[in-house]
Amino acid sequence: MLKKTPATTTSRQAVLDRLTGKQVIGPGLPTIEHDRMVHFDDPVEKFIEVLSTVGGQAHLVDDAQQIAQILSDIPVYANAKRVVSLVPEAIPGSLDVATIDDPHALASVDWTIAKGEFAVAENGAIWVEGATMPHRVLLFIAQYLAIVVSRSDLVHNLHEGYARIGTPKSPFGVFVSGPSKTADIEQSLVLGAHGCRTLQVFLTP
Amino acid sequence: MKSLPIVDHPTKARPFVADTERFHWHDQALWFVRSKRDKQAGSVPEWEHLRSLASQIKTETIANLGDYLVEFERNATALGATVHWAADAAEHNEIVLKILRDHETLRIVKSKSMLTEECGLNHFLEDNGIEVVDTDLGERIVQLRKETPSHIVLPAIHIRKEEVGDTFHEHLGTDEGASDPQYLTEAARQHLRDKFLAGEVGITGVNFAIAETGGLVVCTNEGNADLGVSLPRVHIACMGIEKLVPRFQDLSVFIRLLARSATGQPITTYTSHFHGPRDPNSELHIVLVDNGRSRLRNSNEFREALHCIRCGACMNTCPVYRRSGGHSYSATVPGPIGSVLSPTRDSSRYKSLPYACSLCGSCSDVCPVKIPLHHQLLAWRKELVGENLLPYSKRISMKAASILFRSPRLFSMAGWMGRKSLKILPHWATHNRLNTWTIARELPEPPRESFRHWYAENRKR
Ligand code: SF4
């Protein structure tokens, strides 16, 4: 079915010629010094605070039992029919995605429990690596999202975050900060635009 | 090609300004966003340092853009993406159509992209029988109303919630008279879910592309770009060639600045990084578009306008934009940066835009990549005079002023006459339809004496 369209490069040389026709001297690239960037006395506290300002909820937990307990107290979780868990060692799922080929089949997923690689205190974002998800759409199509990340994997600012990623190893990776939202109707903030309606973040030891 | 009408900003702004209640509301809605930006900028101690870094990185990128693009192309291709080059808008549209035709596509879902707006992609595809669904809520509202975005980050900022209610009642069958944003957003969510599931190809813009890794970054709050490209097998990413950054670590600087400047958030909800197609069965097409950018790079005066990361902060802060609405600029990119960019495309058509500015300098203060916007607007005015594109009335009065300012005696006499006439002239003599300056203004009380006189008296001692 897939008939790959070849690259259109008719104008390639023309564009490049225009870009090299006039010599412009650049200043060179600056060194980005992490020491000059914001650091916090208590990055965990900062992360929780920022996450709450963008509509997410953070929970400090000691073990997996506690995650299960907190989730089961949330009515939309207790009533959920299809839960996909990408951290089965902590939370069992009710839908096995290993057998699913077509991401469209995931349209009715209620909850996705994803795994975060690290979190950023400065902006409340969590890095989710594409390789941890059999289908990346799981992160966006589920009605509700939970991410499990260890609080020992917290960085102060985004520069440290990118340094941690190094060079991206899989085709997809995303910083998630809070539930999906919009303010396109008269600047009123509404949570749950197209992606998840709420975001729970579990900070494990 | 038919010649396009000249944009006269004051005329286009008139209907907007005439509705006092509405323009106050618009003004305040944008000021609210600007205030949120201030709070965020203030909470980052190294804010100014970040701006300097961003500016330096962009200056370097634009200087060596050709090399960085070739590096990007090589790395993106190695990851399995297909990189296309388009000299202008028409070629961009043809490339996209060709990819869609090759896949026998009838329906696409598209997330926000000012570039495709600039290229007129939607209309082009619709004329070719393809259903185009804008999935950003604001863009969808504007699309259903057959309007264009009036702001680059907040496309529907000019529309009241009651009007959205009417539009959704007509197109999505929501309750008549409903205007609750929560309810309306939920209706759009349901409606767009079906569109997402039916989309055969996903099209997105690009916030940043990275030469070093061959990847690209898309930022959204709604998750629409991500949902739109995670279901179908084909993702087309359309980008202007200036969207490049050299190194992966450079992203940290720009991502920290972008959302804080745009909407006053610490980061957008989703910041997605795409490096190559999803799997061996999928395709990622990247369309690199010039459309006048290489020409802009050659201009020493306006080159820095290519640094723009489309955050919209200059619009939110601009006293003219806030009170005249985005549509009055008749350009894809309105506001201060739009007034710099549009005349570079067609100086005669957009000659009134550099005058839609009070030179207050607020735009340059908020710009995260330090584009000297108000200096460039001033530079444009000089340019337009050189091109003889100034209206007759302005040319004559400027000539007169120049004569006046060159002769101290003439100047002092004119001052005396001015003070006298302010006292004795009847109201109708200054306030009539020949004098557009006095439509909403009263003349000042004349001072008793001239400054020159006062100075001579008081500084003698
Ligand atoms: S010119 Fe500066 S402030 Fe305006 S949109 Fe571009 S980056 Fe933002």
Side-chain angles (χ1 to χ4, degrees):
Chain A
M1 157 228 152
L2 209 66
K3 192 166 50 157
K4 208 169 153 102
T5 306
T8 322
T9 52
T10 344
S11 296
R12 181 179 187 275
Q13 204 50 51
V15 173
L16 286 175
D17 287 347
R18 282 202 292 267
L19 288 173
T20 43
K22 178 177 174 124
Q23 203 195 3
V24 180
I25 307 292
L29 290 169
T31 310
I32 302 171
E33 301 159 66
H34 294 189
D35 295 352
R36 287 195 67 167
M37 309 302 180
V38 73
H39 282 72
F40 307 97
D41 295 338
D42 187 347
V44 175
E45 186 193 45
K46 183 72 190 175
F47 174 83
I48 295 174
E49 175 203 321
V50 180
L51 185 71
S52 80
T53 65
V54 294
Q57 275 175 292
H59 310 272
L60 283 169
V61 295
D62 295 328
D63 50 40
Q65 274 76 47
Q66 233 184 318
I67 302 180
Q69 184 56 47
I70 295 170
L71 280 174
S72 63
D73 285 346
I74 302 173
V76 283
Y77 183 83
N79 299 328
K81 291 198 178 57
R82 291 179 190 79
V83 178
V84 175
S85 174
L86 306 172
V87 270
E89 64 279 13
I91 287 288
S94 64
L95 183 73
D96 181 14
V97 286
T99 53
I100 291 175
D101 269 348
D102 180 1
H104 289 84
L106 300 164
S108 58
V109 168
D110 297 307
W111 276 78
T112 293
I113 322 283
K115 176 175 165 10
E117 300 303 312
F118 63 88
V120 188
E122 167 212 345
N123 56 22
I126 305 136
W127 177 254
V128 181
E129 187 57 51
T132 62
M133 294 179 285
H135 293 284
R136 62 174 78 150
V137 79
L138 280 169
L139 216 51
F140 312 107
I141 209 164
Q143 298 288 333
Y144 304 93
L145 180 64
I147 303 179
V148 182
V149 61
S150 163
R151 48 185 182 265
S152 62
D153 290 316
L154 225 99
V155 297
H156 292 266
N157 56 57
L158 203 55
H159 311 282
E160 295 178 0
Y162 276 101
R164 249 194 91 142
I165 304 168
T167 307
K169 278 150 220 87
S170 53
F172 186 71
V174 57
F175 280 112
V176 180
S177 175
S180 153
K181 58 178 81 69
T182 180
D184 273 341
I185 301 176
E186 281 205 13
Q187 286 302 295
S188 323
L189 184 68
V190 179
L191 300 185
H194 307 294
C196 60
R197 297 170 185 275
T198 63
L199 171 71
Q200 312 290 333
V201 178
F202 294 99
L203 295 164
T204 57
Chain B
M1 206 170 129
K2 63 177 192 293
S3 73
L4 294 161
I6 304 256
V7 177
D8 184 43
H9 184 265
T11 313
K12 295 276 294 187
R14 195 161 295 143
F16 190 86
V17 179
D19 188 342
T20 321
E21 195 261 335
R22 192 184 192 100
F23 97 68
H24 279 307
W25 163 77
H26 187 263
D27 180 21
Q28 263 146 30
L30 286 159
W31 186 252
F32 170 66
V33 184
R34 151 85 209 261
S35 315
K36 285 200 294 178
R37 178 222 90 104
D38 289 353
K39 235 180 104 198
Q40 282 295 336
S43 74
V44 177
E46 63 273 24
W47 185 256
E48 289 306 316
H49 177 56
L50 286 180
R51 287 178 75 208
S52 302
L53 287 175
S55 168
Q56 189 182 339
I57 295 168
K58 277 292 177 186
T59 310
E60 166 65 18
T61 314
I62 302 300
N64 300 299
L65 192 53
D67 296 340
Y68 285 124
L69 282 170
V70 171
E71 185 186 350
F72 172 74
E73 180 191 39
R74 186 176 59 241
N75 290 325
T77 311
L79 293 173
T82 310
V83 179
H84 307 260
W85 297 70
D88 54 24
E91 193 176 2
H92 160 266
N93 292 349
E94 289 297 342
I95 292 171
V96 174
L97 182 65
K98 168 93 171 50
I99 303 169
L100 299 182
R101 286 270 154 84
D102 283 354
H103 294 90
E104 290 159 24
T105 307
L106 295 175
R107 279 179 297 269
I108 61 148
V109 284
K110 193 169 139 280
S111 73
K112 212 162 91 54
S113 145
M114 290 323 289
L115 177 81
T116 59
E117 200 70 44
E118 171 187 323
C119 295
L121 181 69
N122 281 18
H123 290 304
F124 176 80
L125 293 182
E126 279 158 8
D127 288 348
N128 281 284
I130 289 163
E131 184 195 350
V132 179
V133 178
D134 276 325
T135 56
D136 172 274
L137 178 59
E139 292 239 311
R140 186 66 180 151
I141 294 170
V142 169
Q143 187 183 35
L144 290 174
R145 294 171 63 89
K146 298 198 172 24
E147 290 181 20
T148 53
S150 71
H151 187 289
I152 59 173
V153 173
L154 319 160
I157 187 77
H158 61 289
I159 301 169
R160 309 293 303 247
K161 56 179 191 272
E162 291 76 17
E163 295 167 316
V164 177
D166 292 345
T167 306
F168 280 13
H169 173 63
E170 183 188 334
H171 294 275
L172 315 184
T174 50
D175 297 341
E176 193 165 3
S179 66
D180 174 34
Q182 182 88 42
Y183 167 79
L184 295 173
T185 304
E186 182 63 33
R189 178 184 170 103
Q190 304 299 344
H191 154 76
L192 283 166
R193 266 267 147 160
D194 296 340
K195 300 285 180 189
F196 278 119
L197 289 166
E200 300 166 63
V201 168
I203 298 186
T204 67
V206 169
N207 288 94
F208 305 100
I210 312 112
E212 180 184 60
T213 64
L216 49 96
V217 174
V218 180
C219 308
T220 72
N221 278 323
E222 297 179 12
N224 55 319
D226 315 278
L227 200 47
V229 301
S230 300
L231 290 166
R233 292 219 165 270
V234 182
H235 172 186
I236 307 176
C238 304
M239 61 177 271
I241 51 176
E242 84 287 9
K243 290 275 152 145
L244 223 53
V245 298
R247 306 166 298 190
F248 191 61
Q249 56 169 316
D250 295 330
L251 288 174
S252 64
V253 174
F254 291 99
I255 303 287
R256 289 190 76 191
L257 290 166
L258 180 65
R260 287 187 171 100
S261 299
T263 51
Q265 294 168 255
I267 186 173
T268 47
T269 301
Y270 302 102
T271 307
S272 291
H273 300 59
F274 300 92
H275 282 83
R278 192 156 77 215
D279 52 51
N281 265 326
S282 305
E283 291 179 34
L284 170 63
H285 291 273
I286 304 168
V287 190
L288 301 172
V289 185
D290 181 344
N291 206 32
R293 287 162 174 80
S294 56
R295 200 155 24 87
L296 192 54
R297 178 185 168 276
N298 289 343
S299 150
N300 290 336
E301 199 80 69
F302 303 112
R303 182 176 308 125
E304 281 162 300
L306 284 173
H307 294 188
C308 178
I309 57 172
R310 302 286 191 265
C311 71
C314 56
M315 295 157 209
N316 303 343
T317 200
C318 177
V320 178
Y321 177 93
R322 292 203 315 267
R323 289 170 180 80
S324 56
H327 287 147
S328 62
Y329 295 79
S330 301
T332 311
V333 180
I337 182 65
S339 300
V340 171
L341 290 175
S342 304
T344 65
R345 297 190 178 280
D346 186 343
S347 57
S348 145
R349 176 163 191 236
Y350 293 106
K351 63 185 181 187
S352 78
L353 296 188
Y355 294 90
C357 166
S358 64
L359 296 178
C360 72
S362 176
C363 47
S364 309
D365 283 344
V366 298
C367 178
V369 287
K370 285 195 162 181
I371 302 172
L373 288 157
H374 71 291
H375 293 288
Q376 297 202 338
L377 289 168
L378 196 60
W380 256 123
R381 296 187 187 181
K382 228 166 85 191
E383 190 98 350
L384 293 169
V385 175
E387 289 180 28
N388 258 325
L389 285 172
L390 213 55
Y392 183 71
S393 59
K394 278 204 178 91
R395 244 182 291 157
I396 287 296
S397 48
M398 284 298 152
K399 276 251 160 57
S402 137
I403 295 170
L404 192 66
F405 290 138
R406 264 179 306 185
S407 154
R409 287 190 51 200
L410 208 59
F411 183 77
S412 110
M413 196 171 85
W416 178 84
M417 267 168 55
R419 284 188 302 279
K420 279 278 172 290
S421 6
L422 271 180
K423 260 190 224 142
I424 55 171
L425 274 183
H427 194 262
W428 60 261
T430 49
H431 289 68
N432 56 50
R433 68 193 162 78
L434 292 177
N435 189 359
T436 48
W437 267 91
T438 51
I439 286 172
R441 294 179 178 85
E442 282 309 318
L443 293 172
E445 283 288 320
R448 267 186 304 110
E449 54 181 349
S450 71
F451 175 73
R452 187 194 290 254
H453 187 239
W454 177 90
Y455 187 84
E457 282 289 299
N458 288 275
R459 283 294 174 270
K460 257 199 310 231
R461 288 177 268 137

